[in-house]
């Protein structure tokens, strides 16, 4: 597995994930950071904090007035872990590839994440939000960046961030993308995971999801309406459709193309359709959930399904190629250390 940017990737990431992950999203995301062997300062597991536990920026659009080619996708999460400390976790793509440089080589506010005083992306304000970290530099290799880190921040709680917008600057320091920030609370203790993959019944193509691939599923609740949902952390080291790359994906319109979705069935030979609570959510929340090959760790935006953790357990997770065909499948289960395959062994079939 070859990775670039600020992470060093492992061929079997799930074997390094602690079984004692805390229930907050920050702990889940930081565990994912450890899983890909990030060769920087170790990050401590967050202690429980008062809800809402996290802020999310997942709806990136061009900065007002920006007419350049960059179009950002991905998700950024901020989690309060102490009086003056927050956990920052993100995977983003479509960034300025010129931002793959050391901090000392960048000038004029280049390659920065900025939380602005404005309330939304149409009115971001001229200044920085003083009650949290003002800027955080990102590094983008081939246009994508993955980061898991503890940062110094003075915001009293993450809910205060939901009244602001986050802005990205290019290598010249010019803003080019923006996302509003929304507050979420962590779900009940215990994470769901997918470890044991198989070829989807009837699929005859060449794609083969590696047995070391891992998906972690964390329950979250949208603060403004308490709607239950999930965040998926995707750790893949092969087997995804290369036609689903960030540049190519924009032109792919097939239903389910490049998707990774929870399905109704409990077995891969009878997976059924997408699974969500249709009494609470009218439109299919899985329709926009896509993976991106080449990004070793991808955090999805919260998927507002209306479902609880127990409703998801035992269902199937299905991977689709660029045509929308189902290529791989696995059953969702609770995570325990005993279910991890031994080093050098094949993962047992469920």
């Amino acid at each position: 597995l070859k990775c670039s940017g600020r992470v060093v990737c492992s061929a079997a990431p799930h074997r390094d994930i602690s079984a004692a992950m805390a229930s907050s999203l920050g702990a889940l995301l930081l565990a994912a950071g450890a899983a890909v062997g990030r060769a920087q300062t170790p990050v401590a597991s967050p202690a429980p904090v008062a809800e809402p536990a996290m802020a999310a920026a997942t709806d990136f659009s061009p900065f007002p007035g920006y007419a350049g080619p960059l179009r950002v996708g991905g998700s950024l999460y901020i989690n309060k872990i102490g009086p003056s400390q927050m956990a920052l976790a993100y995977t983003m793509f479509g960034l300025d590839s010129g931002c793959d440089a050391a901090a000392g080589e960048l000038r004029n506010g280049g390659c920065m994440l900025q939380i602005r005083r404005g309330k939304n992306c149409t009115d971001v304000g001229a200044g920085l939000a003083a009650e949290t970290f003002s800027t955080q530099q990102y590094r983008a290799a081939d246009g994508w960046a993955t980061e898991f880190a503890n940062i110094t921040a003075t915001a009293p709680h993450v809910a205060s961030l939901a009244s602001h917008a986050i802005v990205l600057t290019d290598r010249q320091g010019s803003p080019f993308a923006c996302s509003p920030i929304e507050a979420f609370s962590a779900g009940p203790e215990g994470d769901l995971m997918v470890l044991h993959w198989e070829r989807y019944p009837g699929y005859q193509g060449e794609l083969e999801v590696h047995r070391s691939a891992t998906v972690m599923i964390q329950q979250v609740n949208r603060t403004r309406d308490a709607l239950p949902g999930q965040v998926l952390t995707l750790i893949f080291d092969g087997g995804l459709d290369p036609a689903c790359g960030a540049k190519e994906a924009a032109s792919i319109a097939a239903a389910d193309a490049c998707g990774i979705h929870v399905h109704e069935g409990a077995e891969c030979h009878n997976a059924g359709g997408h699974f969500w609570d249709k009494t609470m959510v009218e439109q299919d929340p899985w329709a926009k959930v896509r993976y991106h090959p080449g990004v070793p760790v991808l955090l999805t935006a919260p998927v507002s399904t209306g479902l609880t953790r127990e409703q998801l357990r035992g269902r199937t997770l299905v991977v689709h190629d660029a045509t929308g065909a189902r290529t791989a499948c696995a059953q969702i289960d609770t995570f325990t250390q005993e279910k991890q395959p031994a080093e050098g062994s094949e993962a047992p079939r469920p």
Side-chain angles (χ1 to χ4, degrees), residues 18 34 36 71 76 89 110 130-131 175 192 233 241 325 341:
S18 169
V36 295
R71 294 295 182 269
L76 179 148
E131 68 271 24
L192 298 173
T233 303
D241 193 337

Side-chain angles (χ1 to χ4, degrees), residues 60-74:
F60 288 94
S61 60
F63 188 84
Y66 175 74
L70 300 175
R71 294 295 182 269
V72 175

Side-chain angles (χ1 to χ4, degrees), residues 14-20 195 334-342:
H14 61 272
R15 294 172 188 154
D16 299 322
I17 298 171
S18 169
L195 297 174
T334 51
F335 172 70
T336 63
Q337 191 73 27
E338 291 74 18
K339 290 177 182 175
Q340 296 186 83

Side-chain angles (χ1 to χ4, degrees), residues 51-207:
E51 294 188 17
M54 68 209 71
T58 62
D59 188 17
F60 288 94
S61 60
F63 188 84
Y66 175 74
L70 300 175
R71 294 295 182 269
V72 175
S75 303
L76 179 148
Y77 294 94
I78 305 169
N79 188 66
K80 186 78 170 179
I81 59 174
S84 60
Q85 200 169 43
M86 290 188 174
L88 175 69
Y90 59 78
T91 51
M92 295 184 291
F93 44 89
L95 301 170
D96 187 345
S97 58
C99 287
D100 187 18
E105 300 175 23
L106 298 173
R107 301 177 181 178
N108 302 318
C111 308
M112 291 291 183
L113 307 168
Q114 303 174 338
I115 294 185
R116 305 288 280 267
R117 287 200 182 106
K119 305 300 181 183
N120 52 56
C121 288
T122 58
D123 181 21
V124 297
L128 303 173
E131 68 271 24
T132 185
F133 68 90
S134 56
T135 61
Q136 184 76 17
Q137 194 170 65
Y138 68 86
R139 290 179 63 182
D142 299 324
W144 64 266
T146 298
E147 179 71 81
F148 302 89
N150 284 357
I151 58 175
T152 300
T154 58
H157 46 74
V158 294
S160 64
L161 305 183
S163 61
H164 298 292
I166 193 161
V167 171
L168 307 182
T169 66
D170 62 16
R171 76 187 90 172
Q172 304 299 327
S174 300
F176 69 94
C178 178
S179 173
I181 300 173
E182 190 165 18
F184 289 82
S185 60
E189 184 176 358
D191 303 310
L192 298 173
M193 299 194 75
V194 177
L195 297 174
H196 309 305
W197 294 91
E198 61 184 71
R199 178 180 288 262
Y200 193 86
Y203 174 67
Q204 300 296 323
E206 298 180 353
L207 299 174

Side-chain angles (χ1 to χ4, degrees), residues 2 33-34 69 81 99 101 112 156 173 225 273 276 296 306 315-316 326:
K2 180 181 179 182
I81 59 174
C99 287
M112 291 291 183
D225 58 7
W276 80 97
R315 307 286 177 165
T316 47
R326 303 178 183 188

